[in-house]
Amino acid sequence: MSTIKVGLLGFGTIGTGVVRVFQNNAQLLRQRLCKNIELVRVADLDVTTDRGVTLDEGILTTDAEAVINDPDIHIVIELIGGYEPAKSFILKAIAAGKHIVTANKALMAVHGREILAAAERQGVSVMFEAAVGGGIPIISAIKENLCANRFSSVLGILNGTCNFILTKMTEEGSDFAPVLKEAQDLGYAEADPTFDIEGVDTAHKIALLGALCFGTTVDFDQVYREGITAISALDIKFAGEMGYKIKLLAIAKNHGDQIEVRVHPTMIPDTYQLAEVDGVFNAVRLTGDFVGPTLLYGSGAGMDATASAVMGDVMAISRDQISGARLRVPVMGYCSEHIKTLQIKSMNDIVSHYYLRFTVLDQPGVLAKIAGCLGDYGISIQSMIQPERHEIDSVPIVLMTHSACEADIMKALEIIEKLDIVSQPTRLIRVENDLG
Ligand code: HSE
């Protein structure tokens, strides 16, 4: 073939970024590929909006099938997002023998197995670097550069919207609601921010990273998920006084026969590099048995950074095409017959340190009662803050526990919450003191 031909489904923000790479860096792409590469068709239902880029006549179409069934096209980029029609289009393109590049984390996390099985049967590649961490090359790091390592953990800040909100709350001492509004006004949060702020987007991403790192299937529905909507300025302030920052952390750990895959607000020591990842930036910490810990940092979203990741995949597939390599890198980084189905540890069984903020009546013996309940379940207190009275008759008591099993914490809290000295529900935030 003299020219690699590419088709694009979805001409939204990232699609526009892809067009910009093709146009601005055309010569560079050729020089790095040693062949011509061309974007020949772009399909989107909206063909009238001005995206600030001009396509040659005949490239833009409303008909996705015209891209999928074009016999000249080698690679189809899917940037529609969501489950349907993206999934059907990808399956049809695979059946038509096209290689696929997608940024669709939700689709890959939930329907990845079906798509990968179809791709394997057809002998085509599916690449999805842009699905996790925007422009950060985390998936190729796992599948290629670091593939000689056994990974013990992968942890990260994987959602720019949440990280922007938590950073602002920390810097300004503000509560969640006004900062979310500011993030929406600035275009960092969607009008319906649910997927981001409830941790769904982060859970999709860590499900993919856990599967890639540990060579296992990860059932997305079993990924524990807690968003940032309940984080208050008060908790951020107390965390700061204890030397911690609160981040929405995605955590996957390998225990051999079981794995942990979870997403929740997490307190991390403010001396950790991850604690310094602020604003819309993302970072992923990977620990391999030979390489040790590594940290990848960069723009986790946005038109240009995400287009960079998409185009990296397009170039990788193009190089394989040119060299005649076929499925050089397995889609999930392991030969499919070696992909395991490891059990995801129940949250009851995880072991962590815990930040607990009780709201109690300011009376003698209250602290002793709480400490007694915790002690009954073998939970040891590491440190404590009891600030000046905040509200009439009600005062916060903030405890940091030593390492404890989550089931014991929950049982102790159930009893504490029933005490008549407790005036509001207790806030619990898990603490990650050992990144592995
Ligand atoms: N909405 C995501 C974020 C970017 O805020 O990081 C796309 O995954």
Side-chain angles (χ1 to χ4, degrees), residues 12-319:
T13 306
I14 307 169
T16 304
V18 166
V19 172
R20 278 163 45 79
V21 177
F22 269 106
Q23 294 182 345
N24 296 5
N25 288 357
Q27 197 186 2
L28 176 82
L29 297 180
R30 251 193 323 275
Q31 288 170 352
R32 290 211 150 137
L33 200 56
C34 315
K35 282 267 186 230
N36 285 331
I37 179 162
E38 250 181 68
L39 181 64
V40 295
R41 305 281 345 232
V42 176
D44 196 286
L45 290 177
D46 172 6
V47 290
T48 52
T49 297
D50 180 6
R51 278 97 167 171
V53 289
T54 311
L55 291 169
D56 287 346
E57 196 139 326
I59 290 188
L60 195 53
T61 172
T62 52
D63 182 9
E65 306 275 344
V67 176
I68 293 165
N69 297 319
D70 183 332
D72 290 338
I73 288 179
H74 303 100
I75 302 169
V76 170
I77 305 173
E78 181 277 308
L79 297 176
I80 300 165
Y83 299 127
E84 284 297 349
K87 182 182 164 198
S88 302
F89 288 163
I90 286 179
L91 290 174
K92 281 184 189 172
I94 289 172
K98 315 296 184 201
H99 301 282
I100 305 294
V101 175
T102 178
N104 196 330
K105 69 225 84 176
L107 184 61
M108 292 307 292
V110 176
H111 297 290
R113 257 178 276 176
E114 185 182 346
I115 290 169
L116 303 183
E120 203 166 84
R121 278 195 304 275
Q122 193 67 27
V124 297
S125 297
V126 175
M127 295 187 74
F128 50 99
E129 182 63 72
V132 183
I136 303 173
I138 179 66
I139 294 180
S140 60
I142 296 167
K143 281 167 53 172
E144 300 224 49
N145 313 69
L146 300 177
C147 70
N149 286 265
R150 277 177 211 283
F151 296 106
S152 52
S153 66
V154 52
L155 300 99
I157 294 167
L158 297 176
N159 186 273
T161 306
C162 289
N163 207 41
F164 173 85
I165 292 172
L166 291 174
T167 303
K168 275 263 168 190
M169 289 174 71
T170 305
E171 285 170 354
E172 296 171 1
S174 321
D175 262 313
F176 175 78
V179 179
L180 170 63
K181 169 85 176 53
E182 193 182 337
Q184 286 172 317
D185 291 344
L186 288 168
Y188 290 141
E190 308 271 350
D192 178 358
T194 315
F195 254 48
D196 291 318
I197 63 177
E198 297 295 355
V200 182
D201 174 78
T202 308
H204 284 141
K205 292 168 178 169
I206 196 65
L208 289 171
L209 292 187
L212 288 158
C213 279
F214 309 143
T216 179
T217 55
V218 172
D219 187 348
F220 174 72
D221 294 331
Q222 286 184 33
V223 177
Y224 177 80
R225 172 172 60 76
E226 199 182 302
I228 62 166
T229 53
I231 297 294
S232 67
L234 198 57
D235 292 318
I236 290 178
K237 175 175 160 291
F238 288 138
E241 286 175 20
M242 292 172 144
Y244 290 87
K245 277 199 182 163
I246 300 177
K247 296 287 183 189
L248 182 69
L249 216 61
I251 299 171
K253 294 183 180 177
N254 190 356
H255 298 287
D257 51 346
Q258 280 192 321
I259 55 172
E260 285 177 41
V261 193
R262 50 192 165 100
V263 172
H264 47 72
T266 307
M267 281 172 48
I268 50 176
D270 57 15
T271 49
Y272 283 9
Q273 285 169 316
L274 270 180
E276 286 169 23
V277 175
D278 282 335
V280 292
F281 281 91
N282 282 196
V284 189
R285 191 180 193 276
L286 268 175
T287 304
D289 55 354
F290 279 80
V291 72
T294 60
L295 188 73
L296 284 92
Y297 168 90
S299 289
M303 175 168 74
D304 287 347
T306 312
S308 159
V310 168
M311 288 305 293
D313 284 349
V314 168
M315 292 291 277
I317 292 175
S318 302
R319 285 172 166 156

